[in-house]
């Protein structure tokens, strides 16, 4: 320990210690001269040897090497720029991927004490839900001893007087802002002591964006009364911009959840035990010193106690698993619930795919740079041999070359940081992420970036360094391995891009029904407290008026129209196999409206509520080898009978490969939640304003959501389109780099073999023969690379299954076109340097040595 | 009298030993060893100063500025308590090895 301190003290006062040592030696010489002795040895060298005892000489050497490396890189700016550019691409892709991971998982949300925030879900053998019924939340809040506070939030929309579109509202428990530590831009935020009680004056907090958009950032706004759903509500303040709002999209308004019944007519949110309609997302603040496990245990026993009173609301053996609530991951998912067990996360396979792809790009970049360094080694042959002959050991030379690589790596990672930031901010502005999600690099990103630079320096630098020092760069083995690696990696990228393109065309193809001419009208009658009878009147009148419009071909109703936000999924058991079935309540005209052909049996019919139509796939999955017609089918205790089979309709844009659909006749009770589908022979775009005003004219409170089904379909594909675009760009960069590498290598081979080529030509070899001779040695590494690449792509694409829309991960078209494209590009590119071989003048080549 | 090379490891022991009687500068250390060994042992600069640096690093001696007999500013090396302990340990170790070698030389 003392020794280490002395060593450090020496490092810090190196200059002084060095001077003292020099003085010692000088004095020694003086004395020796006085005594008549002769000085022996070089004082500088003596000093260096003495200094070595302190163990800091490596710093001096490093400094030397760095200075030398800087000078060398500056001397060949072309090489340096190319190397930094290649690295910037490879590292930048990785930095962007890590940057997103950092934002999502590592960096806490901008809330007070993110570490003690927990996010709760419901889990039981009977089902799962990301939301809790409000009464359950309230029960927990009153009885918990492990949590210092519980936050509830549910999403909704309200209509403001004079506005076209409904506003996005978060109904929150009144402690929402105080628990999260959010500050107000103007006025005050919600106050648990004043705003919690159900009888309190209704108040609203505005988001900063909404305040600026709608009220022109009017500073005198607090205290004003606005009308929401026709009810007066007092604006008390505006929340600041950096509020994370525990959601990726910032709402327009925050309102105490206790005001929900007051503002939304017929709301049962506060008393309803079912989470089918709505529920509360719940966060808890852990008391100091307690573990999440303790809180989960307590909530489990509280749920059991509540079940004793409310058997129908709380599930048997209900648990409330928690996850850290202070990170973006906890707010990514949409509200979901269902029977059976929860689907495994779809994020993990996609994330691992991204990691694999960006590492591949890095591999291509490093392989490319490695070839470049090897080629440079040839140019530096003289320099290296001079240094060897003046006594540089190979360890010293390797260290020098590695220092050069490390310097390149660090420069590359600095450029990569810029590229990564560019990618991130580009993607984030394209997907309109909220302002508080800050993409600027923090220490984790910087550290990652620097270590990525050094790591790639090792990857691309080590082998060339050894080869160059041993003066063995004529051996093409290393180059061939580098080529194989590059070919393999870029081949994987091309194949994955090909698979995604294929999946996209596959998905954009016929989903099994005709959607282009269909417009959906969702009047959201349920949100306006329509009774079944009122809904019937409204829908009947609307359909009557629609029929009188020109060009209308068919009109029908559906509770879960294709590509919409609503899907109803049910797990059902058939002979021990659990099938996930999409349910849809429709009227008999549904199949005609969407042009879904009836394969067998008959259509649903009014007045026959127990009949059921299933899709072809469901029929095959549920009753393989049997006649499905007449089979019984139980839903919620009601017996249905299969009367017809229709063709498959991929209602969620083919993500659901099985297309297991069950169509029930809509009952009276379903009517308030029905969506109207209209098929027109005219242009559907021109129909939208008419439909909108028609639906509004029937009831001014109703704010119908009118959508072109083809637009909804396009939106569904958007995620995949972005994916295809990014992977495509990566793949073409990789292809370009690999071509560059191979072209460089062939050019080198030609220049090395000029003499041989000259002799061959002099002996009468034909041009084709010459080209074959030059290219033959590359056929093998490229072939090996292609094989490895295809194999790796096959392994990797297993994780793609989920997003391939039912396309097989071994789709031959994708594989052959990727490999074909690669081979063709490389062959064409390599013709340039190969042609050089033909222009060799035999006489010149033989004379020239 | 021909100059003899210093046996390995012995130099540190000798430096510590000559410093026991008081602080000395580098040249004096070399001289003291030279004269005390009846001019048999000759300490070269190339060996002395690296050894001194190692001993400094170990914390067995400290250095301090002083004035030489020629009236010049120079570093004097002084034994620390740790150095004194080290000297004792090395001397007893050396004695045992020396006796063992002597015994072999006498009897074999």
């Amino acid at each position: 320990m003392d020794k280490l301190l002395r060593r450090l003290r020496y490092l810090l006062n190196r200059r002084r210690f060095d001077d003292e040592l020099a003085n010692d030696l000088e004095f020694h010489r003086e004395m020796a001269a006085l005594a008549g002795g002769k000085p022996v040895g070089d004082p500088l060298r003596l000093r260096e040897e003495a200094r070595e005892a302190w163990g800091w000489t490596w710093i001096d050497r490093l400094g030397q090497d760095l200075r030398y490396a800087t000078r060398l890189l500056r001397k060949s700016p072309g090489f340096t720029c190319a190397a930094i550019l290649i690295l910037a691409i490879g590292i930048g892709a990785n930095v962007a991927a890590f940057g997103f991971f950092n934002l999502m998982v590592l960096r806490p949300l901008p809330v007070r004490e993110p570490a003690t925030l927990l996010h709760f879900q419901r889990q039981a053998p009977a089902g799962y839900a990301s939301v809790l019924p409000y009464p359950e939340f309230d029960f927990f809040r009153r009885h918990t001893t492990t949590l210092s506070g519980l936050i509830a939030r549910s999403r909704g929309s309200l209509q403001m007087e004079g506005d076209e579109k409904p506003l996005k509202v978060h109904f929150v428990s009144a402690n929402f802002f105080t628990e999260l530590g959010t500050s107000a831009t103007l006025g005050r935020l919600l106050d648990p002591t004043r705003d919690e009680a159900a009888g309190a004056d209704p108040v609203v907090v505005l988001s900063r964006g909404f305040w600026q958009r709608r009220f022109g950032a009017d500073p005198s706004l607090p205290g004003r009364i606005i009308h929401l759903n026709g009810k007066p509500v007092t604006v008390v303040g505006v929340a600041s911009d950096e509020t994370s709002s525990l959601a990726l999209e910032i709402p327009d308004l925050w309102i105490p959840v206790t005001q929900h019944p007051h503002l939304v007519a017929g709301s049962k949110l506060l008393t309803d035990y079912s989470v089918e309609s709505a529920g509360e997302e719940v966060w808890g603040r852990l008391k100091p010193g307690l573990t999440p496990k303790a809180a989960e245990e307590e909530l489990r026993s509280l749920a059991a106690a509540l079940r004793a009173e409310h058997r129908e609301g709380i599930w048997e053996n209900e648990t409330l698993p928690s996850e850290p609530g202070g990170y973006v991951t906890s707010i990514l998912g949409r509200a979901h619930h269902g029977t059976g067990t929860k689907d495994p996360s779809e994020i993990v396979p996609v994330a691992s795919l991204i990691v694999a792809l960006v590492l591949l790009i890095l591999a291509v970049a490093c392989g490319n740079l490695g070839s470049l360094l090897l080629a440079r080694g040839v140019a530096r042959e003289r320099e290296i041999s001079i240094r060897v002959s003046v006594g540089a050991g190979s360890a010293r030379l390797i260290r020098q070359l590695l220092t050069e690589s490390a310097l390149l790596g660090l420069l590359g990672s600095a450029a990569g940081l810029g590229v990564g930031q560019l990618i991130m901010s580009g993607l984030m502005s394209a997907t309109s992420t909220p302002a508080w999600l800050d993409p600027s690099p923090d220490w984790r990103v910087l550290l990652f970036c620097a270590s990525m630079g050094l790591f790639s320096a090792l990857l691309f630098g080590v082998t060339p360094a050894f080869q160059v020092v041993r003066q063995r760069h004529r051996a093409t083995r290393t180059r061939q391995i580098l080529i194989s690696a590059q070919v393999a990696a870029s081949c994987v990228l091309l194949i994955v891009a090909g698979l995604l393109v294929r999946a996209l065309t596959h998905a954009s193809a016929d989903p099994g029904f005709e959607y282009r001419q269909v417009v959906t009208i969702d009047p959201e009658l349920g949100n306006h407290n329509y009774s079944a009878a009122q809904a019937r009147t409204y829908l009947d009148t609307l359909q009557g008026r629609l029929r009188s419009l020109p060009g209308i071909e068919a009109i029908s109703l559906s509770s879960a129209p294709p590509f919409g936000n609503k899907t109803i999924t049910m797990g059902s058991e058939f002979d021990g196999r659990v099938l996930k079935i999409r349910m849809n309540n429709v009227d008999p005209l549904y199949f005609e409206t969407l042009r879904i052909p009836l394969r067998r049996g008959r259509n649903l019919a009014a007045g026959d509520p127990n009949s059921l139509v299933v899709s072809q796939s469901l029929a095959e999955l549920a009753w393989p080898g049997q006649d499905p017609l007449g089979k019984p089918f139980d839903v919620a205790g009601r017996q249905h009978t299969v009367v017809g089979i229709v063709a498959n309709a991929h209602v969620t844009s083919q993500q659901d490969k099985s297309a297991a659909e069950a169509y029930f006749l809509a009952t009276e009770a379903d009517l308030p939640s029905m969506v109207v589908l209209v098929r027109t022979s005219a242009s559907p775009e021109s129909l939208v304003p008419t439909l909108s005003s028609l639906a509004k004219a029937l009831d001014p409170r109703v704010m119908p959501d009118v959508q072109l089904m083809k637009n909804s379909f396009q939106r569904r594909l958007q995620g995949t389109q972005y994916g295809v675009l990014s992977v495509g760009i990566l793949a073409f960069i990789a292809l370009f780099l690999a071509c560059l590498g191979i072209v460089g290598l062939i050019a080198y081979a030609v220049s090395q073999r000029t003499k041989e080529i000259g002799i061959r030509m002099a002996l009468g070899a034909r041009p084709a023969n010459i080209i074959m001779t030059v290219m033959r040695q590359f056929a093998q590494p490229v072939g090996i690379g292609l094989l490895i690449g295809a194999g790796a792509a096959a392994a990797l694409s297993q994780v793609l299954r989920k997003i391939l829309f039912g396309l097989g991960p071994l789709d031959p078209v994708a594989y052959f076109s990727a490999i074909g494209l690669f081979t063709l590009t490389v062959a064409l590119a390599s013709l340039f340097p190969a042609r050089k071989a033909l222009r060799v003048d035999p006489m010149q080549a033989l004379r020239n040595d | 009298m021909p100059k003899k090379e210093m046996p390995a490891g012995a130099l540190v022991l000798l430096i510590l030993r000559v410093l026991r009687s008081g602080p000395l500068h580098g040249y004096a250390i070399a001289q003291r060893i030279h004269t005390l060994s009846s001019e048999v042992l000759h300490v070269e600069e190339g060996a002395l100063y690296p050894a001194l640096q190692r001993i400094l690093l170990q914390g067995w001696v400290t250095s301090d500025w002083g004035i030489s007999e020629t009236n010049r500013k120079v570093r004097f090396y002084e034994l620390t308590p740790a150095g004194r302990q080290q000297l004792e340990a090395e001397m007893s170790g050396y004695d045992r090895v020396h006796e063992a070698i002597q015994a072999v030389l006498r009897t074999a």
Side-chain angles (χ1 to χ4, degrees):
Chain A
M1 193 62 219
D2 285 348
K3 203 166 146 183
L4 190 72
L5 282 178
R6 275 192 289 276
R7 213 183 269 258
L8 275 176
R9 201 166 71 96
Y10 179 84
L11 177 67
L12 296 175
N13 304 302
R14 219 142 51 103
R15 183 129 309 165
R16 186 165 63 78
F17 277 89
D18 207 30
D19 289 346
E20 287 176 10
L21 182 61
N23 183 61
D24 274 10
L25 286 164
E26 203 182 310
F27 172 72
H28 196 108
R29 272 160 191 262
E30 283 170 17
M31 295 300 281
L34 281 178
K38 268 194 196 150
V40 200
D42 169 36
L44 247 172
R45 192 182 170 128
L46 276 175
R47 233 157 80 195
E48 240 168 57
E49 275 172 14
R51 262 199 326 237
E52 220 156 298
W54 294 96
W56 291 116
T57 23
W58 63 268
I59 288 200
D60 298 316
R61 297 222 179 102
L62 183 69
Q64 241 174 32
D65 285 352
L66 276 177
R67 274 192 299 277
Y68 185 70
T70 316
R71 231 179 302 149
L72 267 182
L73 291 183
R74 215 184 288 155
K75 237 180 71 187
S76 44
F79 164 80
T80 310
C81 285
I84 291 177
L85 187 71
I86 291 169
L87 275 178
I89 293 166
I91 295 176
N94 280 275
V95 166
F98 179 79
F100 279 115
F101 176 73
N102 184 35
L103 273 187
M104 295 295 142
V105 182
L106 299 180
R107 198 190 283 187
L109 293 171
V111 298
R112 179 169 65 83
E113 293 172 52
T116 60
L117 205 59
L118 294 176
H119 180 232
F120 290 101
Q121 309 208 356
R122 291 173 87 194
Q123 178 81 56
Y128 63 89
S130 66
V131 289
L132 278 62
Y134 183 84
E136 189 182 17
F137 157 76
D138 195 43
F139 185 80
F140 289 161
R141 176 167 61 170
R142 282 183 283 118
H143 292 94
T144 179
T145 57
T146 56
L147 301 168
S148 61
L150 269 105
I151 308 172
R153 191 265 309 279
S154 58
R155 302 170 202 229
S157 59
L158 290 174
Q159 188 64 43
M160 187 161 118
E161 212 171 48
D163 269 15
E164 268 287 301
K165 288 209 155 174
L167 303 179
K168 264 187 271 170
V169 183
H170 282 182
F171 292 97
V172 294
S173 52
N175 62 347
F176 187 79
F177 293 111
T178 46
E179 274 302 334
L180 298 182
T182 312
S183 60
T185 294
L186 191 68
R188 69 170 176 93
L189 301 178
L190 299 182
D191 178 352
T193 55
R194 291 161 71 180
D195 306 321
E196 185 74 70
D201 284 337
V203 292
V204 57
V205 169
L206 273 51
S207 74
R208 200 181 147 90
F210 178 65
W211 173 60
Q212 287 166 336
R213 257 193 332 271
R214 182 63 176 72
F215 296 101
D218 176 6
S220 68
L221 195 67
R224 272 253 291 277
I225 287 176
I226 59 174
H227 284 81
L228 298 169
N229 276 16
K231 303 271 175 42
V233 183
T234 313
V235 175
V236 290
V238 177
S240 65
D241 238 355
E242 67 264 26
T243 174
S244 86
S245 70
L246 293 181
L248 279 182
E249 96 283 14
I250 295 181
D252 301 314
L253 310 172
W254 287 274
I255 294 177
V257 64
T258 40
Q259 297 294 344
H260 197 269
H262 172 68
L263 294 170
V264 181
S267 152
K268 289 181 294 200
L269 183 71
L270 300 188
T271 50
D272 195 1
Y273 269 88
S274 108
V275 291
E276 297 295 327
S277 50
E280 303 292 327
E281 291 165 83
V282 172
W283 288 265
R285 185 66 85 176
L286 202 60
K287 279 188 181 165
L290 291 179
T291 60
K293 235 1 347 59
E296 284 174 23
E297 270 306 300
E298 188 198 33
L299 294 193
R300 191 184 56 79
S301 57
L302 283 179
L306 187 59
R307 184 173 152 79
E309 297 163 36
H310 291 275
R311 183 153 285 277
E312 80 291 357
I314 307 302
W315 296 327
E316 200 177 350
N317 292 328
E318 180 171 321
T319 56
L320 291 114
S322 71
E323 59 176 348
Y327 299 91
V328 176
T329 35
S330 70
I331 60 172
L332 268 184
R334 295 223 192 104
H336 53 77
H337 55 81
T339 56
T341 51
K342 209 174 128 183
D343 282 343
S345 167
E346 285 183 17
I347 294 174
V348 176
V350 173
S352 46
L353 179 73
I354 292 170
V355 169
L357 294 184
V358 293
L359 283 180
L360 280 174
I361 268 286
L362 187 68
V364 177
C366 285
N368 200 272
L369 206 50
S371 320
L372 232 92
L373 282 178
L374 269 184
R376 217 167 110 83
V378 182
R380 291 175 65 177
E381 206 170 327
R382 262 175 74 87
E383 175 207 335
I384 301 283
S385 49
I386 289 174
R387 299 185 64 182
V388 168
S389 57
V390 298
S394 57
R396 185 81 178 78
L397 277 176
I398 286 174
R399 200 160 55 198
Q400 160 67 40
L401 290 171
L402 282 182
T403 309
E404 272 177 60
S405 298
L407 185 63
L408 265 184
L410 286 179
L411 287 172
S413 62
L417 187 66
V419 172
Q421 286 310 118
L422 226 81
I423 297 174
M424 276 185 84
S425 45
L427 276 177
M428 284 175 75
S429 64
T431 52
S432 65
T433 41
W436 55 262
L437 212 57
D438 177 16
S440 61
D442 57 6
W443 64 269
R444 291 188 202 91
V445 175
L446 293 178
L447 188 70
F448 176 83
C449 195
S451 33
M452 224 47 199
L454 293 177
F455 170 65
S456 42
L458 275 183
L459 274 187
F460 68 73
V462 167
T463 326
F466 277 90
Q467 297 273 326
V468 168
V469 167
R470 288 198 198 130
Q471 307 261 315
R472 270 187 43 202
H473 34 261
R474 284 203 171 83
T476 39
R477 174 65 59 199
T478 315
R479 295 157 175 282
Q480 289 179 335
I481 291 173
L482 283 175
I483 286 294
S484 289
Q486 280 181 65
V487 170
S490 38
C491 185
V492 172
L493 283 164
L494 271 179
I495 289 175
V496 169
L499 277 173
L500 286 177
V501 170
R502 285 275 298 162
L504 190 64
T505 46
H506 186 71
S508 330
D510 180 22
F513 54 91
E514 237 313 314
Y515 60 89
R516 289 183 184 80
Q517 293 294 110
V518 177
V519 184
T520 59
I521 311 166
D522 186 358
E524 295 175 344
L525 298 178
N527 288 353
H528 298 282
N529 195 28
Y530 266 65
S531 69
Q534 285 169 312
R536 155 79 57 207
T537 322
Y538 179 94
L539 292 170
D540 282 350
T541 327
L542 180 62
Q543 291 189 61
R545 297 206 181 160
L546 290 174
R547 265 184 215 107
S548 63
L549 293 174
I552 301 295
E553 290 184 335
I555 303 167
S556 72
L557 300 174
S558 160
S559 62
F563 319 134
N565 296 322
K566 298 180 203 164
T567 51
I568 312 165
T569 317
M570 182 185 64
S572 205
E573 208 179 296
F574 290 91
D575 303 331
R577 289 165 297 128
V578 176
L579 294 181
K580 257 180 94 171
I581 301 169
R582 285 186 205 285
M583 305 204 296
N584 202 348
N585 298 316
V586 299
D587 70 356
L589 283 167
Y590 181 76
F591 303 110
E592 190 194 324
T593 313
L594 287 180
R595 304 256 162 97
I596 301 173
L598 184 69
R599 296 282 189 231
R600 287 187 59 205
R602 62 170 176 86
N603 193 351
L604 297 167
D608 184 11
N610 291 330
S611 57
L612 164 74
V613 167
V614 298
S615 70
Q616 222 161 2
S617 333
L618 176 56
E620 283 155 17
L621 287 169
W623 304 282
Q626 299 171 48
D627 183 10
L629 291 182
K631 290 282 181 204
F633 190 100
D634 278 359
V635 178
R638 254 179 69 206
Q639 180 90 31
H640 293 261
T641 311
V642 178
V643 297
I645 299 157
V646 291
N648 292 335
H650 302 269
V651 290
T652 55
S653 89
Q654 320 219 322
Q655 230 150 6
D656 169 38
K657 187 187 170 192
S658 60
E661 318 275 342
Y663 301 95
F664 298 87
L665 193 67
T667 60
E668 284 293 302
D670 297 324
L671 289 176
S673 61
M674 292 306 252
V675 179
V676 183
L677 283 73
V678 181
R679 164 172 292 282
T680 172
S681 56
S683 127
E685 283 88 351
S686 64
L687 206 59
V688 172
T690 326
L691 295 184
S692 200
S693 59
L694 259 182
K696 244 181 269 183
L698 288 180
D699 182 345
R701 286 184 302 160
V702 169
M703 284 294 149
D705 182 19
V706 180
Q707 295 283 352
L708 299 178
M709 202 176 267
K710 59 180 178 192
N711 289 354
S712 315
F713 181 59
Q714 284 307 321
R715 269 201 295 282
R716 278 292 159 114
L717 293 180
Q718 212 159 45
T720 317
Q721 278 164 345
Y722 279 131
V724 170
L725 192 67
S726 349
V727 178
I729 291 172
L730 283 184
F732 278 98
I733 291 172
L735 177 64
F736 177 70
L737 286 181
C739 279
L740 223 61
I742 292 171
V743 167
L745 192 52
I746 294 178
Y748 171 72
V750 170
S751 69
Q752 287 291 303
R753 297 173 67 178
T754 317
K755 202 166 176 181
E756 179 199 331
I757 293 169
I759 294 174
R760 280 173 190 266
M761 283 175 106
L763 292 177
R766 271 184 306 211
N769 290 342
I770 303 263
I771 289 196
M772 281 306 286
T773 322
V774 174
M775 309 251 288
R776 200 184 300 137
Q777 56 175 318
F778 302 106
Q780 198 189 2
V782 170
I784 291 174
L786 286 176
L787 276 180
I788 296 175
L796 189 63
S797 53
Q798 295 303 319
V799 301
L800 271 173
R801 261 176 204 284
K802 278 260 173 203
I803 45 175
L804 282 183
F805 304 108
L807 186 81
L810 290 176
D811 180 66
V813 179
Y815 280 74
F816 284 116
S817 49
I819 291 173
L821 176 67
F822 189 93
T823 321
L824 193 71
T825 323
V826 165
L828 283 178
S830 51
L831 279 180
F832 287 99
R835 261 188 358 188
K836 225 177 97 185
L838 296 181
R839 285 204 296 265
V840 169
D841 177 2
M843 288 318 289
Q844 201 97 56
L846 291 176
R847 242 185 249 134
N848 205 352
D849 206 350
Chain B
M1 189 97 199
K3 286 168 186 171
K4 285 279 186 279
E5 274 300 313
M6 193 67 55
L11 180 58
V12 171
L13 177 60
L14 293 182
I15 293 173
L16 292 177
R17 177 63 187 81
V18 297
L19 283 176
R20 194 159 75 169
S21 42
L24 290 174
H25 53 67
Y27 183 72
I29 294 173
Q31 278 312 108
R32 186 69 62 87
I33 293 173
H34 190 56
T35 45
L36 285 180
S37 67
S38 317
E39 306 197 345
V40 174
L41 298 175
H42 186 84
V43 186
E44 296 280 357
E45 285 164 85
L48 175 64
Y49 288 94
L52 271 173
Q53 298 298 316
R54 274 196 297 278
I55 297 170
L56 271 173
L57 175 65
Q58 294 291 342
W60 296 334
V61 302
T62 55
S63 66
D64 211 350
W65 288 108
I67 302 296
S68 76
E69 54 272 35
T70 55
N71 218 9
R72 189 189 192 288
K73 240 181 105 180
V74 71
R75 270 202 298 189
F76 279 72
Y77 295 90
E78 184 177 3
L79 213 55
T80 62
R84 212 164 279 276
Q85 259 177 29
Q86 178 67 22
L87 176 61
E88 301 303 327
E90 285 206 14
M91 271 171 57
S92 66
Y94 179 79
D95 282 347
R96 273 186 29 231
V97 173
H98 184 74
E99 273 166 31
I101 292 173
Q102 286 292 330
V104 174
L105 292 179
R106 271 196 306 271
T107 55

